[in-house]
Amino acid sequence: MEAKIVLLPGDGVGPEVVSEGRKVLEAVAAAYGHQFAFEERPIGGVAIDETGDPLPEPTLEACRSAAAVLLGAVGGPKWDDPQAKVRPEQGLLGLRQGLQLYANLRPVRLIPELVDASPLRPELVKDVDILIVRELTGGLYFGEPRLLETIDGKRRAVDTLEYHEHEIRRVVRLAFQLAEPRRAHLTSVDKANVLETSRLWRQVAQEEAHSFPNVRLEHQLVDSAAMRLIADPRHFDVLVTENMFGDILSDEASVLTGSLGMLPSASIGEGTLGVYEPIHGSAPDIAGQGIANPIGTILSVAMLLRHSLALEPEAVAVEQAVQQAIADGARTADLTTNDSQTTEEMGEAVVDRLKSRITTEGPH
Ligand code: IPM
Ligand code: MG
């Protein structure tokens, strides 16, 4: 197949991990006879430095006409001034909203060999397989009004939490669909004992449940869900929640897998276009050292192949190559206190496994 893939390396460790993701895509293209055309564009802090805008129009246009987008990370201390008019994060939020990517899928799966990398007891985290479905274009992140003002010398700030029925319905429905072929257990997370938006969320989830009689729907308050994610993570199958709760719970859940650096994500909407990115941030403390873990990005590449390009065997091949590289002992610094591999060495380890798997088993 032919596909245009836009690369948005962004800030911090973004360029380092995206470059490994690209190598994996190139290896897949060579092995399976696809033509991927790559187009690299600025977003976030680098885009502010180049153009003054964290999401320059040509970047958004390139993404609109692409089959898929692979993103690294945005943000860093250089652009962190609280007084600043523009922030790198606005580039990412603008991209999600501009492309109407209302659902963010964050699979949390433990690779068995990494069971000791998690700070939690092995018997607690082994077999963890959770899919977090986070609403991505609504809630506190986008609600109006939002402001910070000074009245009579006193400062006041406002953010707005607003959800429309259709925004809840489409993401909850998607979560039901994703739960069906899994363990058919959907946990809808809210704060319905306090928030009106959560009460609406709960009602809509309940209504949608009628269309999915095979899926067991459970409601859970976000505070107790946060506790249960650590105390009994294997309880969860698919978890669906609003934007901010999903942001927080997905970072928490990443601890189960040993490292934030391992987790991929897919941001999707109505069509096949999606933005794929590791869930970790720009990690300014280690940027430029070549030690970031590229696995979150490489597993995002697998999600890209699956969701945007409908290349399931290729996606599975990438996931198995990652498993194999880890099983063979490849570790970046975040995963071990012993000798570790660099970002490039880890990328190479995966590409090698991918190639040898394809030569021994054939590409199809
Ligand atoms: C994420 C990040 C972003 C978010 C930031 C960088 C705006 O934390 O993708 O989880 O809050 O959505
Ligand atoms: Mg986050």
Side-chain angles (χ1 to χ4, degrees), residues 250-317:
S250 55
D251 268 31
E252 184 194 3
S254 74
V255 174
L256 303 167
T257 67
S259 170
L260 190 58
M262 296 295 295
L263 291 198
S265 83
S267 302
I268 59 176
E270 294 300 345
T272 58
L273 174 60
V275 172
Y276 300 84
E277 53 175 314
I279 87 155
H280 65 72
S282 59
D285 53 325
I286 58 163
Q289 298 177 29
I291 58 169
N293 185 348
I295 299 291
T297 305
I298 293 172
L299 290 175
S300 300
V301 163
M303 295 186 86
L304 181 159
L305 293 166
R306 174 174 293 123
H307 293 282
S308 281
L309 307 185
L311 299 174
E312 179 65 24
E314 287 84 339
V316 171

Side-chain angles (χ1 to χ4, degrees), residues 106 134 141 247-248 250-251 279:
R106 299 187 161 186
R134 167 187 176 194
Y141 276 63
D247 178 45
I248 298 169
S250 55
D251 268 31
I279 87 155

Side-chain angles (χ1 to χ4, degrees), residues 192-342:
N193 52 347
V194 177
L195 301 174
E196 292 298 343
T197 44
S198 281
R199 290 196 262 273
L200 177 61
W201 184 284
R202 203 173 267 221
Q203 281 170 20
V204 173
Q206 205 59 51
E207 290 157 18
E208 282 306 304
H210 297 305
S211 311
F212 299 91
N214 301 326
V215 178
R216 183 160 61 88
L217 172 67
E218 160 192 60
H219 303 281
Q220 186 151 29
L221 297 174
V222 64
D223 46 356
S224 78
M227 183 212 41
R228 197 162 197 180
L229 262 177
I230 299 297
D232 183 19
R234 282 175 299 171
H235 170 80
F236 295 97
D237 177 16
V238 178
L239 187 159
V240 64
T241 191
E242 66 98 39
N243 203 343
M244 174 85 116
F245 296 160
D247 178 45
I248 298 169
L249 292 180
S250 55
D251 268 31
E252 184 194 3
S254 74
V255 174
L256 303 167
T257 67
S259 170
L260 190 58
M262 296 295 295
L263 291 198
S265 83
S267 302
I268 59 176
E270 294 300 345
T272 58
L273 174 60
V275 172
Y276 300 84
E277 53 175 314
I279 87 155
H280 65 72
S282 59
D285 53 325
I286 58 163
Q289 298 177 29
I291 58 169
N293 185 348
I295 299 291
T297 305
I298 293 172
L299 290 175
S300 300
V301 163
M303 295 186 86
L304 181 159
L305 293 166
R306 174 174 293 123
H307 293 282
S308 281
L309 307 185
L311 299 174
E312 179 65 24
E314 287 84 339
V316 171
V318 170
E319 285 163 352
Q320 290 184 346
V322 167
Q323 296 242 358
Q324 196 56 52
I326 298 282
D328 292 345
R331 298 284 185 277
T332 38
D334 53 318
L335 297 172
T336 180
T337 47
N338 300 330
D339 281 351
S340 57
Q341 271 71 52
T342 64

Side-chain angles (χ1 to χ4, degrees), residues 31 33-34 64 90 113 126 146 166 182 193 231 238 250 257 268 270 306 323 341 346 355:
H34 303 308
R64 281 212 173 95
Q90 289 165 351
E113 286 77 12
K126 82 173 170 32
R146 56 184 292 142
H166 77 274
R182 291 171 52 104
N193 52 347
V238 178
S250 55
T257 67
I268 59 176
E270 294 300 345
R306 174 174 293 123
Q323 296 242 358
Q341 271 71 52
M346 184 60 121
K355 285 185 182 154

Side-chain angles (χ1 to χ4, degrees), residues 80-221:
D80 249 352
D81 175 7
Q83 310 287 332
K85 281 271 165 292
V86 284
R87 293 187 56 100
E89 290 78 5
Q90 289 165 351
L92 182 55
L93 301 183
L95 184 68
R96 291 168 177 172
Q97 199 177 42
L99 301 178
Q100 278 296 298
L101 306 173
Y102 64 81
N104 184 222
L105 315 187
R106 299 187 161 186
V108 181
R109 217 173 284 136
L110 179 76
I111 297 184
E113 286 77 12
L114 291 182
V115 71
D116 292 319
S118 169
L120 297 171
R121 288 201 307 277
E123 68 272 23
L124 218 62
V125 292
K126 82 173 170 32
D127 306 327
V128 158
D129 182 4
I130 306 171
L131 176 61
I132 296 182
V133 181
R134 167 187 176 194
E135 200 290 323
L136 204 58
T137 48
L140 273 175
Y141 276 63
F142 295 98
E144 297 284 347
R146 56 184 292 142
L147 55 96
L148 170 56
E149 64 184 1
T150 308
I151 305 170
D152 297 335
K154 294 205 167 57
R155 284 168 298 169
R156 174 181 96 111
V158 178
D159 291 293
T160 301
L161 177 48
E162 174 175 356
Y163 268 109
H164 291 262
E165 176 173 355
H166 77 274
E167 295 175 305
I168 302 172
R169 196 173 300 284
R170 62 188 179 184
V171 72
V172 167
R173 188 175 296 159
L174 176 69
F176 270 110
Q177 286 162 355
L178 292 166
E180 233 167 7
R182 291 171 52 104
R183 299 194 299 285
H185 175 202
L186 178 61
T187 308
S188 174
V189 173
D190 61 39
K191 187 73 184 170
N193 52 347
V194 177
L195 301 174
E196 292 298 343
T197 44
S198 281
R199 290 196 262 273
L200 177 61
W201 184 284
R202 203 173 267 221
Q203 281 170 20
V204 173
Q206 205 59 51
E207 290 157 18
E208 282 306 304
H210 297 305
S211 311
F212 299 91
N214 301 326
V215 178
R216 183 160 61 88
L217 172 67
E218 160 192 60
H219 303 281
Q220 186 151 29
L221 297 174

